[in-house]
Amino acid sequence: MRKNACLLATAAIFVLLVSCNRTAVKLDSTTATDEVPQLGNLSFHFSKALVSDSMLNRWDSTEYISFEPAISGRFRWEHPDELIFSPAKPLAPATSYKATLHKEILRHSKFGRIENADAVTFRTPDLNLEANNIAWALQDENSNTAVPQVDLYFNYPVNPSALKGKLHLEVDGKPVNFLLQTLSASTKITVRLLDVKAEDKDYDSKILLDKGLAPEGGGNGTKEAEEIKSVIPSPFILNINDVTAEHNGNTGTIAVKTSQPVIAANLATYLSLTPVVKFSAEVTDEGFLISSENFDITKTYELKITKGLRGKIGGVLNNAYINNLAFGALEPSISFANSKAVYLSAEGTKNIEVTLTNVPKVKVVISRIYENNLIAAQRYGYYPRETSSKDNRDNYYEEEGDATLGDVVYEKEVETSLLPKYGQSRLFTFNIADRLPDFKGIYHISIR
């Protein structure tokens, strides 16, 4: 009887263990699917809570998920049921990835396995020829010979040697030889057509790309061949090929692409803007650039280019060109105006110039770094553990494990409109002496 009782007890334990291992949590949703941007976090949302609130909002180097090809980065529990992965650098261009979820995710939970996690795949956008520009160019600085030139604009850098075998050009229905002017990987590849005479006529042209072209550092080639029909204009006529407007928060620029290089002398006299704005104009390889710090991003401007503008090859703008331009909404951005500055004098005004674009509110976090941790902090970077509690000294920077590199001594959200203006920038005053018995030291400032 004693022997049978032991067997029954063993069987009961075995059944209990199997029952526990069969308890599963589901991967409800993830942004790591289909096409994802190169820059951005990946989120994994589960059907049940897997961690306690004490583990939230802490960057962790634990490998909860592995990727193939490998992606370096950090993890953070955003919510008890949501894990965030932040890549350390942009993902590879035009590349397919597979994610494998590990049981480390379940370490602090009662669950034994994860459902719906066997086929988590995603990819970065495919290579794409976004635009092209055809113009005449001088063969060299000391030559008067004009040759047609094609600029190809891709969404990723492309190696010219990889492009050469897949690019074909036709003029008036006949293949033509070409010479690559771009020698290293770039998003803009310049090609010069050979044996095309500069005559007073327009030429029909075709740009043909074979399938299978991959970007530099990318894994996926293009899936289909591409054919683009275009026209090479007469070298005796100056055409405006394209006009685009951009604004970086401080300066607005209008880029004008022309069918041949323009003559720099008196360029500005052929240009006018309505509403009137003081501007400067300079010649570029593709045409010319209009720039001004007085552009208002909320306004629409009319650009007029007067007829008679001349090109270096002999072309003339026969008719006035008029176009309405708007800069549109600006991408939010934050940066320190002087990215190389390191030291701030304790005897000065303690003002730090910050360039802010379309950011209504920022969070400022200041930490005092321990002297004996300067090398480690510089090598591994800073990751402040922020809090809304009154005692900011409970916060610390961490790299691996629980290494304390410095104390957070100031943490505040600031309306950017309240920061004093300094030209096109804003000034943040570093003044926290009232928070420290000994103000001298080394500090790290984060504005986000």
Side-chain angles (χ1 to χ4, degrees):
M1 290 296 293
R2 183 177 299 174
K3 182 177 180 181
N4 290 339
C6 292
L7 289 175
L8 289 172
T10 302
I13 293 174
F14 176 75
V15 171
L16 178 63
L17 290 175
V18 171
S19 176
C20 290
N21 286 332
R22 290 177 62 85
T23 305
V25 64
K26 291 182 180 180
L27 176 64
D28 268 353
S29 63
T30 176
T31 59
T33 182
D34 298 327
E35 185 176 288
V36 302
Q38 280 188 282
L39 281 171
N41 292 341
L42 302 176
S43 68
F44 299 83
H45 189 268
F46 300 92
S47 59
K48 300 290 184 179
L50 299 178
V51 297
S52 62
D53 289 347
S54 63
M55 292 187 63
L56 301 184
N57 300 315
R58 295 178 57 182
W59 288 111
D60 192 348
S61 58
T62 302
E63 191 179 39
Y64 295 106
I65 302 171
S66 61
F67 300 92
E68 185 182 348
I71 306 174
S72 59
R74 287 173 173 267
F75 293 90
R76 183 185 79 240
W77 286 99
E78 183 82 2
H79 302 287
D81 58 355
E82 184 180 13
L83 180 64
I84 300 294
F85 174 71
S86 182
K89 59 183 180 180
L91 303 184
T95 298
S96 297
Y97 289 91
K98 179 182 178 181
T100 301
L101 280 64
H102 300 302
K103 286 190 175 181
E104 189 66 28
I105 294 173
L106 308 175
R107 181 179 179 183
H108 301 282
S109 74
K110 63 182 180 180
F111 301 101
R113 60 190 179 90
I114 306 172
E115 292 182 352
N116 301 339
D118 294 333
V120 180
T121 59
F122 57 98
R123 58 183 173 81
T124 48
D126 293 332
L127 177 67
N128 182 37
L129 176 60
E130 295 183 324
N132 70 90
N133 185 59
I134 299 180
W136 290 87
L138 295 175
Q139 202 165 40
D140 55 61
E141 295 180 357
N142 301 318
S143 172
N144 293 323
T145 304
V147 294
Q149 180 171 287
V150 181
D151 293 326
L152 304 174
Y153 299 89
F154 295 92
N155 59 331
Y156 296 123
V158 172
N159 193 312
S161 60
L163 174 65
K164 187 175 181 179
K166 296 186 178 296
L167 176 64
H168 311 279
L169 298 170
E170 293 183 3
V171 176
D172 287 341
K174 297 180 181 179
V176 294
N177 295 320
F178 59 87
L179 183 64
L180 287 164
Q181 298 295 109
T182 306
L183 302 179
S184 58
S186 174
T187 55
K188 174 189 172 183
I189 304 293
T190 299
V191 178
R192 285 190 176 175
L193 282 62
L194 305 178
D195 305 322
V196 178
K197 294 181 180 180
E199 299 179 355
D200 189 9
K201 67 172 187 176
D202 293 340
Y203 302 80
D204 292 327
S205 66
K206 283 184 183 180
I207 302 170
L208 303 115
L209 280 173
D210 295 338
K211 66 178 182 179
L213 179 63
E216 183 80 348
N220 300 332
T222 52
K223 297 178 178 62
E224 297 179 355
E226 191 168 0
E227 178 182 309
I228 300 172
K229 295 181 179 180
S230 188
V231 173
I232 303 173
S234 166
F236 296 95
I237 298 175
L238 177 66
N239 289 337
I240 307 300
N241 288 350
D242 188 34
V243 179
T244 56
E246 293 184 356
H247 206 291
N248 62 10
N250 293 326
T251 303
T253 57
I254 299 174
V256 181
K257 294 179 182 178
T258 56
S259 60
Q260 60 183 266
V262 299
I263 296 174
N266 302 319
L267 171 60
T269 62
Y270 291 94
L271 310 174
S272 63
L273 289 165
T274 306
V276 176
V277 171
K278 185 179 180 181
F279 63 87
S280 62
E282 60 177 317
V283 172
T284 65
D285 292 338
E286 298 173 323
F288 57 91
L289 195 69
I290 302 169
S291 59
S292 175
E293 293 183 353
N294 299 317
F295 280 125
D296 187 337
I297 61 173
T298 64
K299 293 182 179 179
T300 299
Y301 292 87
E302 180 188 86
L303 170 65
K304 182 178 180 180
I305 307 174
T306 307
K307 69 177 183 178
L309 179 64
R310 304 187 68 88
K312 291 184 178 180
I313 296 172
V316 179
L317 184 64
N318 291 334
N319 298 294
Y321 176 89
I322 299 176
N323 195 359
N324 291 318
L325 303 166
F327 295 100
L330 302 180
E331 288 291 331
S333 67
I334 303 175
S335 64
F336 291 107
N338 190 338
S339 59
K340 296 182 180 180
V342 176
Y343 302 103
L344 188 67
S345 172
E347 304 300 324
T349 58
K350 304 181 183 68
N351 286 330
I352 300 174
E353 185 179 354
V354 183
T355 302
L356 302 166
T357 302
N358 209 13
V359 180
K361 183 184 292 186
V362 295
K363 186 167 186 178
V364 180
V365 182
I366 301 176
S367 294
R368 188 173 186 177
I369 308 304
Y370 299 148
E371 185 177 356
N372 60 332
N373 286 327
L374 286 176
I375 295 177
Q378 186 175 13
R379 177 178 298 173
Y380 299 114
Y382 296 116
Y383 302 91
R385 182 186 294 178
E386 305 167 26
T387 182
S388 58
S389 66
K390 294 181 180 180
D391 185 7
N392 287 332
R393 293 174 183 269
D394 290 339
N395 304 293
Y396 57 89
Y397 280 80
E398 63 177 1
E399 175 55 28
E400 299 293 340
D402 295 323
T404 302
L405 302 182
D407 289 327
V408 174
V409 296
Y410 181 89
E411 183 178 347
K412 185 178 181 181
E413 290 187 358
V414 180
E415 298 285 344
T416 56
S417 60
L418 300 179
L419 296 174
K421 284 189 175 182
Y422 183 74
Q424 299 292 328
S425 303
R426 298 276 180 172
L427 291 178
F428 169 73
T429 302
F430 180 79
N431 186 14
I432 57 171
D434 59 332
R435 292 172 172 264
L436 299 171
D438 179 15
F439 179 68
K440 295 179 181 180
I442 298 171
Y443 299 85
H444 174 266
I445 301 176
S446 170
I447 300 179
R448 64 172 178 79

